[in-house]
Amino acid sequence: MASTAASLRLPSPPLSAPAAAASFSSATTLRFPLRRRGAARPLAVAAFKKLSEASPVPIPPESAQPPLDEEALPPKPGVYGVYDAAGELQFVGISRNVRASVEGHRRKVPADLCASVKVSVADEETPDRAVLTNAWKSWMEEHIESTGKAPPGNVAGNNTWVGAPQRPPDLRLTPGRHVQLTVPLEQLIDRLVKENKVVAFIKGSRSAPQCGFSQRVVGILEAHGVDFVTVDVLDEEHNHGLRETLKTYSNWPTFPQLFVGGELVGGCDIISSMAEKGELSALFQK
């Protein structure tokens, strides 16, 4: 069986690979043996049958800048395994583009779940899917035999490979500007803050605040894990006149405004100070 080899350069400096992988210094070159079958079957390709034969590649954490080096992962089709920072295999998959697939997973999971990756590449640009599938099965069987279980991301119903939870939509005080209100807007505000334990009146939506102070308050509330609703004071279509009416209702001139239990707590500065002192958590627990 003839063999060839493909090389790739790792970014400098690389992260530490899992314990099972060798340590790499900066400017390390990985070589991927690309095995060909006999000349009588020139179009056939082969991927590594064993996980232990594949080559480990360190992956920078999400916070690292710049992002993953363009040449750090092969763009060719192959089988890949993603490891966490502790060296535990989290996922084994097949991709027509290993580089794009790993980057896609890194956007969906915490950075420490992409500490490194092992890749097995085929020596054809468009290999037979069955070849890669058989290699994937071999990797899975090898891992199950050694650990007694499949990698977390390959278990049905596992939530390792899902995106961030969807944020609830912002509340609207009216169906629209064209609708004639049957009760004063101030009464709608009063009902809203009393029917919901935690209400944040912010500039912009919860998913896209339109000012730094509103973004800060939303971040603090989410960090505390509290259930809260938001109202966009800039939404003139569904909250027409809210900004001026709310200033009168709360006797507070700026935004955001946070209400807890129907009572005004304050704006960004007060919320930030209370969070730093631990007073906000105590307030939510009442």
Side-chain angles (χ1 to χ4, degrees):
M1 179 182 297
S3 65
T4 60
S7 300
L8 65 86
R9 302 285 294 179
L10 292 180
S12 177
L15 295 181
S16 297
S23 298
F24 298 98
S25 59
S26 62
T28 296
T29 299
L30 295 183
R31 297 186 64 78
F32 296 88
L34 307 179
R35 301 176 293 181
R36 299 180 183 273
R37 298 182 186 275
R41 303 176 63 187
L43 297 181
V45 297
F48 292 117
K49 294 295 184 64
K50 290 186 178 181
L51 182 62
S52 56
E53 291 180 354
S55 300
V57 180
I59 303 298
E62 188 67 34
S63 58
Q65 295 296 333
L68 181 62
D69 188 287
E70 283 297 318
E71 296 184 356
L73 288 173
K76 303 179 69 173
V79 185
Y80 63 95
V82 180
Y83 290 77
D84 63 14
E88 295 294 327
L89 183 64
Q90 297 295 317
F91 184 76
V92 175
I94 302 173
S95 176
R96 290 294 181 184
N97 187 318
V98 177
R99 181 184 302 164
S101 185
V102 172
E103 283 287 2
H105 281 308
R106 188 169 66 169
R107 287 192 293 270
K108 297 179 183 178
V109 298
D112 61 355
L113 288 186
C114 292
S116 66
V117 62
K118 282 190 177 183
V119 293
S120 168
V121 294
D123 58 351
E124 295 292 335
E125 293 299 326
T126 55
D128 182 4
R129 179 83 177 182
V131 173
L132 297 179
T133 300
N134 288 333
W136 174 83
K137 289 180 179 178
S138 296
W139 281 27
M140 290 290 292
E141 291 171 355
E142 179 184 351
H143 182 75
I144 292 173
E145 182 178 353
S146 63
T147 65
K149 57 185 179 181
N154 292 99
V155 178
N158 182 269
N159 292 324
T160 300
W161 309 102
V162 297
Q166 294 295 316
R167 291 170 169 173
D170 303 285
L171 295 185
R172 294 170 172 177
L173 290 177
T174 72
R177 294 185 63 170
H178 62 284
V179 177
Q180 182 67 38
L181 297 180
T182 57
V183 295
L185 185 58
E186 187 169 297
Q187 187 174 332
L188 293 178
I189 295 173
D190 186 67
R191 182 186 303 172
L192 178 68
V193 299
K194 289 180 178 177
E195 290 180 353
N196 298 275
K197 183 176 180 179
V198 183
V199 182
F201 292 91
I202 63 175
K203 290 183 177 181
S205 66
R206 178 172 179 171
S207 59
Q210 296 299 304
C211 78
F213 298 120
S214 294
Q215 184 175 27
R216 171 66 174 161
V217 168
V218 169
I220 290 173
L221 294 176
E222 291 186 338
H224 279 71
V226 63
D227 289 330
F228 69 100
V229 297
T230 53
V231 183
D232 182 3
V233 299
L234 300 181
D235 183 357
E236 283 298 318
E237 174 60 29
H238 300 93
N239 302 322
H240 179 62
L242 174 58
R243 278 178 289 177
E244 295 306 316
T245 304
L246 185 58
K247 290 178 183 179
T248 301
Y249 175 84
S250 63
N251 195 27
W252 193 268
T254 60
F255 300 98
Q257 295 183 18
L258 180 68
F259 286 77
V260 177
E263 300 294 332
L264 175 69
V265 178
C268 182
D269 290 344
I270 292 177
I271 301 305
S272 298
S273 177
M274 292 180 67
E276 293 175 359
K277 297 177 182 178
E279 297 173 351
L280 203 56
S281 296
L283 178 63
F284 293 144
Q285 293 172 2
K286 289 183 179 179

